Amino acid sequence: MLDNNQLLRFTTAGSVDDGKSTLIGRLLYDSKSIFEDQLQAIENTSKKKGHEGVDLALFTDGLRDEREQGITIDVAYRYFTTPKRKFIIADTPGHIQYTRNMVTGASTANAAIILVDARHGVIEQTRRHSFIASLLQIPHVIVCINKMDLVNFSEEAYNKVIEQFEEFSSKMLVKDVRFIPISALLGDNVVNRSQNMDWYQGAPLLHTLETMHISSDINKVDARFPVQTVLRPQRDGFIDYRGYAGRVASGVFRKGDEVTIMPSGFNSKIKSIDTLDGELEEAFAPMSVSITLEDDIDISRGDMIVRSNNKPEASQDLEVMLCWLHNDSAKPRAKYTIKHTSNEQKAMIKEVVYKYDINTLERNMDDKELGMNDISKVKIRTTKPLMVDSYRENRTTGSIILVDDATNETVAAGMIV
Ligand SMILES: Nc1nc2c(ncn2[C@@H]2O[C@H](COP(=O)(O)OP(=O)(O)OP(=O)(O)O)[C@@H](O)[C@H]2O)c(=O)[nH]1
């Protein structure tokens, strides 16, 4: 069965002028995923600006305005639906804070679209974005070779980009890479099959997104339930109800399952799984539920309910692939708040093991500074144990962020090795 109806999150990456806005506009326009009145407004503005047809970049301009005024959101999300699937696009601006934006926008993405200008081929930004996509273990990468109209729709130009891409991507960990030759401006192979590239046998972009299998990307094995809130009898108006509310991070929980509470290590059984709409027999990621247990155990926010026969590691020493996201560099041995699922502790960066040179993908063992956009392997020590999995096994319980206590700003995001 195709998992068509599932929500697919994807992010777009590319350097400035590769055509990201045009591509998103084309996707929304040709798939008719835009309301009549919005479309009318865009057509009117396009005409006023002297555009022949519609100015596709206007589809993302609303998002950009918001960004320029606020600066608070670095990543804008856009929703659209086709008869086959729902989509969320994390629109990450291509310039300056590329790493930061991509990490923020892509950490929950099922797929990344990496745009390459057919005239220029693979450039530094392509390598950067692909490397970040591989670090974030985005399961599917679609390389869209854009502006094919400017290279006479040449198959040779397309093959050359694939060759360049494969040359460096062989060093990375991306499971599923596909290539699509497109013209975002003219619409070739975006929603509709190109009439100009008979030599391309694959599907257009939208069809590829609509039919991509994503259910196997979810971790269904390791049952993890970080407790967000403890619902107490009396206080919250629940008579005789003591439940633990939160969101299933991964795996499946069933009524009667033997569970362990971490870090305390107490064992119990699931008495019920409740939602506002009633009781459930089972819950899986990313459902928000409240769980009750057969025993009365002292549990607080930040604890984790897991299946007893499959526990995460409780650790105070973490090895983390860290993306630095802030203008201020890391201060040596400075203390930060580490946020991991619903848990928060104090933490210190003990050691910078190495820093990546993103251009060559080589490890620099001597440069220990952590500045904006740097990606480094670090050792972190926390004041109390966190219940962690490796990011490779679990994108939720395997990721952390660091927050500066003084400013309350996020300074880094990391993947547990
Ligand atoms: N000929 C041609 N031009 C294109 C194509 N796609 C985009 N362009 C043009 O390339 C320029 C840059 O496109 P944008 O969509 O603004 O590119 P971008 O810089 O990636 O977008 P943002 O950074 O997201 O604003 C515009 O003038 C587009 O009209 C294409 O397939 N063919």
Side-chain angles (χ1 to χ4, degrees):
M1 192 186 79
L2 277 183
D3 35 5
N4 272 345
N5 288 317
Q6 283 169 23
L7 175 72
L8 184 118
R9 293 167 179 273
F10 68 94
T11 177
T12 52
S15 71
V16 175
D17 279 351
D18 281 351
K20 280 189 298 141
S21 296
T22 310
L23 179 63
I24 294 174
R26 178 56 73 188
L27 263 177
L28 299 177
Y29 185 58
D30 285 3
S31 65
K32 304 188 175 56
S33 303
I34 182 155
F35 295 115
E36 272 306 311
D37 54 337
Q38 287 172 299
L39 183 58
Q40 196 62 51
I42 286 173
E43 280 171 354
N44 291 345
T45 312
S46 304
K47 218 179 266 166
K48 263 187 232 150
K49 287 171 80 179
H51 243 267
E52 247 176 76
V54 288
D55 179 0
L56 293 167
L58 287 176
F59 286 84
T60 49
D61 274 8
L63 301 173
R64 296 292 151 82
D65 289 348
E66 229 172 310
R67 187 179 300 143
E68 269 143 36
Q69 284 158 20
I71 317 288
T72 44
I73 44 163
D74 301 314
V75 182
Y77 295 92
R78 183 169 272 284
Y79 302 79
F80 77 101
T81 307
T82 67
K84 298 219 177 103
R85 200 169 229 171
K86 290 191 171 70
F87 297 95
I88 298 182
I89 313 172
D91 181 26
T92 59
H95 29 274
I96 323 172
Q97 303 191 333
Y98 38 81
T99 308
R100 183 197 161 100
N101 293 324
M102 207 172 152
V103 169
T104 323
S107 55
T108 57
N110 304 100
I113 295 179
I114 296 179
L115 275 162
V116 176
D117 187 323
R119 295 169 302 172
H120 309 316
V122 168
I123 57 169
E124 184 187 323
Q125 290 266 38
T126 320
R127 279 194 275 273
R128 239 176 234 287
H129 290 141
S130 310
F131 180 58
I132 297 167
S134 92
L135 276 180
L136 293 171
Q137 291 176 35
I138 298 177
H140 310 276
V141 170
I142 305 172
V143 181
C144 280
I145 295 137
N146 190 29
K147 308 200 183 183
M148 287 300 293
D149 54 301
L150 298 180
V151 293
N152 293 319
F153 300 103
S154 141
E155 183 177 10
E156 209 186 327
Y158 167 76
N159 284 335
K160 199 167 150 220
V161 177
I162 297 182
E163 214 174 281
Q164 288 173 339
F165 191 91
E166 286 181 337
E167 198 179 308
F168 81 90
S169 70
S170 60
K171 291 186 213 154
M172 300 182 316
L173 250 179
V174 232
K175 283 182 248 160
D176 173 28
V177 186
R178 309 162 195 220
F179 301 91
I180 307 180
I182 65 167
S183 167
L185 189 68
L186 305 180
D188 292 61
N189 287 335
V190 179
V191 172
N192 304 312
R193 178 169 287 285
S194 170
Q195 305 298 317
N196 298 307
M197 291 179 273
D198 290 341
W199 47 264
Y200 173 70
Q201 302 299 320
L205 177 62
L206 183 64
H207 183 80
T208 304
L209 293 169
E210 281 179 335
T211 53
M212 189 170 263
H213 286 272
I214 53 170
S215 62
S216 60
D217 302 338
I218 302 168
N219 180 330
K220 295 193 199 90
V221 179
D222 309 305
R224 307 281 185 259
F225 185 76
V227 175
Q228 275 166 15
T229 317
V230 178
L231 306 171
R232 290 196 174 78
Q234 275 95 47
R235 197 199 64 188
D236 299 309
F238 297 96
I239 297 159
D240 245 4
Y241 184 90
R242 187 188 177 85
Y244 309 100
R247 187 172 189 188
V248 181
S250 56
V252 186
F253 288 91
R254 292 189 184 85
K255 234 166 104 165
D257 275 355
E258 292 200 14
V259 291
T260 300
I261 318 310
M262 300 203 53
S264 68
F266 286 116
N267 296 315
S268 187
K269 272 190 183 172
I270 296 184
K271 191 158 101 187
S272 70
I273 300 172
D274 306 296
T275 68
L276 288 177
D277 301 322
E279 214 180 305
L280 299 175
E281 283 303 307
E282 60 174 34
F284 43 88
M287 287 163 72
S288 291
V289 296
S290 165
I291 288 179
T292 66
L293 301 177
E294 293 194 346
D295 305 276
D296 211 356
I297 301 173
D298 189 22
I299 299 182
S300 40
R301 177 186 166 85
D303 288 355
M304 199 181 286
I305 300 176
V306 304
R307 187 111 34 68
S308 300
N309 59 7
N310 171 343
K311 296 180 203 156
E313 189 190 346
S315 178
Q316 277 179 268
D317 288 293
L318 311 176
E319 284 208 328
V320 174
M321 204 55 83
L322 196 72
C323 303
W324 198 259
L325 306 176
H326 203 272
N327 277 323
D328 297 342
S329 301
K331 298 161 212 103
R333 299 186 78 80
K335 291 205 175 59
Y336 295 95
T337 293
I338 188 167
K339 293 194 177 180
H340 172 261
T341 67
S342 56
N343 200 342
E344 272 186 42
Q345 302 292 343
K346 295 280 175 257
M348 185 176 75
I349 301 173
K350 262 191 357 190
E351 187 190 332
V352 178
V353 186
Y354 56 79
K355 181 155 126 182
Y356 272 108
D357 179 329
I358 303 207
N359 296 321
T360 60
L361 297 190
E362 274 170 15
R363 298 167 181 188
N364 184 336
M365 310 302 284
D366 305 317
D367 185 354
K368 305 288 182 183
E369 210 180 285
L370 301 180
M372 174 69 99
N373 292 326
D374 283 343
I375 296 176
S376 317
K377 184 161 166 189
V378 302
K379 291 185 178 175
I380 292 177
R381 170 101 185 155
T382 63
T383 46
K384 283 192 187 152
L386 297 176
M387 284 64 73
V388 298
D389 294 293
S390 71
Y391 184 84
R392 181 192 293 261
E393 280 160 19
N394 200 318
R395 279 166 89 186
T396 310
T397 53
S399 57
I400 56 113
I401 59 169
L402 296 181
V403 175
D404 186 327
D405 288 330
T407 58
N408 207 23
E409 286 176 327
T410 300
V411 294
M415 283 79 75
I416 296 165
V417 181

